[in-house]
Amino acid sequence: MAVAKPEPSGPAAPVAAAPAAATPQIQLIPASAEGALDAAEEAVDLLLDSGRAPGDVLVITTGEQHPWAAHELSFGEASYWAQHDAGDDVFYADAAVASRAASRPVVVVAVNGGSDAAAADALPLAHARAGALLIVCGDPQQINSVLGVGV
């Protein structure tokens, strides 16, 4: 309440709210490219076990597709994206198509191979899509060099 009382804070409040919404907490889980997908799976399990709704979570892979995505895509893209649009389960997307995915409260990125360019594209996109939390699983040196900051 005290923040809303002063007049100068009125115009500043929306500006303050925007970065808070656009700046999710970032967590890094160190993992090799080979172990990044497993680390992402463990992160998703912990999120769900802690009460996070499955529809709150988007998982993006930079290398090989997550087995769920590969399986669902075998039924066609329309069915795959319909599950995304339903928003009632964890959704897995390859970095190449992640720009089609809607924002979700939590985004988990598995830097499980692929080119540095794939990671360079996926990480800022994931950051933009994450409402509250961005979890990045992969090699910290590669992630930091791609993002240009220490995470």
Side-chain angles (χ1 to χ4, degrees), residues 3 5-6 9 25 46 54 59 64 96 103 112 118 124 126 143 150:
V3 174
K5 283 183 184 177
S9 294
Q25 177 185 352
L46 287 170
V59 179
E64 188 175 321
S103 294
N112 63 329
I143 293 163

Side-chain angles (χ1 to χ4, degrees), residues 8-9 16 22 35 38 45 51 57 63-65 67 72-74 78 81 94 98 103 107 120 131-132 135 143 149:
S9 294
D38 288 337
D45 288 344
V57 182
E64 188 175 321
Q65 282 184 335
E72 293 303 321
L73 280 165
S74 72
W81 287 105
D94 182 80
S103 294
V107 176
I135 300 173
I143 293 163
V149 297

Side-chain angles (χ1 to χ4, degrees), residues 5 23 28 37 39 43 45 49-50 66 69 78 82 84-86 90 93-94 98 114 117 119 125 136 140 142:
K5 283 183 184 177
T23 307
L28 174 62
L37 197 54
D45 288 344
D49 290 347
S50 68
H66 186 277
H84 166 269
D85 296 342
V90 177
D94 182 80
L125 174 72
V136 183
Q142 178 190 18

